[in-house]
Amino acid sequence: MFLLQKAESICEKKSEKEINSMINVKYVIILFQPQHTRDNFPDKDGSLLILCLSITSGVSRIVCGKLADLAWVSRLKMQQAAFLVLGVSTMCIPVATSFEALIAIALVMGVCDGVFVCLLGPIAFDIVGPGEASQAIGFLLGIFSIPFTVGPPLAGTLVIPHSYSPVKI
């Protein structure tokens, strides 16, 4: 009952579009990048992709935090742009013809991840205010835990065992 009241109060403050941008699923594809690299580029090290993603994620968190504090920057639009770019870059993975292209995609995905993580708290604060921000962040992390828990096994069932190539229906 309490959560329904909170949802109603949030909806009164912000539009549905802004709320939906907060409840997005991060990606499962990162779990399959090393195997995808082994399958398509056997002489390359797929763990390098995760390293690139992690480094750019860390750097972009610092840069994004400074940028989001500027008065003329819209945090919400910044996060929505990051989600759009993340989706497009994820769709580019299967068509990448070289390992260098996969590295570039991982770098872009890392920046998007950094923006997402950096702006999670400030946007929740903007939506519900200072008094309810900690509860809103906890609620968001609880919601995000569902796709993080269910996503990898579900994605694993969509591939042929040990090949990671799409199942043909």
Side-chain angles (χ1 to χ4, degrees):
M1 183 65 154
F2 178 73
L3 291 177
L4 290 176
Q5 291 172 343
K6 282 295 169 195
E8 288 176 359
S9 68
I10 291 171
C11 288
E12 290 172 2
K13 292 180 183 179
K14 295 293 177 179
S15 71
E16 184 179 337
K17 178 181 169 187
E18 292 174 7
I19 294 167
N20 285 338
S21 72
M22 292 295 295
I23 305 174
N24 276 298
V25 179
K26 279 175 81 171
Y27 45 90
V28 175
I29 197 73
I30 191 171
L31 299 174
F32 295 105
Q33 282 185 338
Q35 184 62 42
H36 177 73
T37 303
R38 281 192 291 276
D39 290 345
N40 295 298
F41 310 103
D43 57 330
K44 304 293 182 181
D45 184 14
S47 62
L48 183 61
L49 298 174
I50 296 177
L51 175 69
C52 291
L53 189 140
S54 300
I55 289 172
T56 55
S57 178
V59 170
S60 70
R61 290 176 195 194
I62 296 167
V63 173
C64 172
K66 292 291 185 184
L67 212 79
D69 286 340
L70 299 175
W72 54 272
V73 174
S74 171
R75 296 173 182 166
L76 193 59
K77 289 182 182 178
M78 197 170 160
Q79 190 176 49
Q80 289 173 338
F83 284 138
L84 176 68
V85 172
L86 179 63
V88 170
S89 62
T90 300
M91 291 188 296
C92 291
I93 291 173
V95 296
T97 57
S98 68
F99 185 67
E100 290 75 19
L102 285 178
I103 289 177
I105 291 169
L107 293 171
V108 170
M109 290 175 77
V111 170
C112 294
D113 178 63
V115 170
F116 168 76
V117 171
C118 179
L119 293 179
L120 182 67
I123 290 176
F125 184 88
D126 290 346
I127 290 175
V128 298
E132 306 293 331
S134 61
Q135 187 172 3
I137 293 169
F139 181 72
L140 283 171
L141 293 176
I143 293 294
F144 292 149
S145 70
I146 296 168
F148 287 157
T149 303
V150 175
L154 182 63
T157 62
L158 297 176
V159 296
I160 298 171
H162 307 296
S163 75
Y164 295 91
S165 57
V167 174
K168 300 200 181 5
I169 297 175

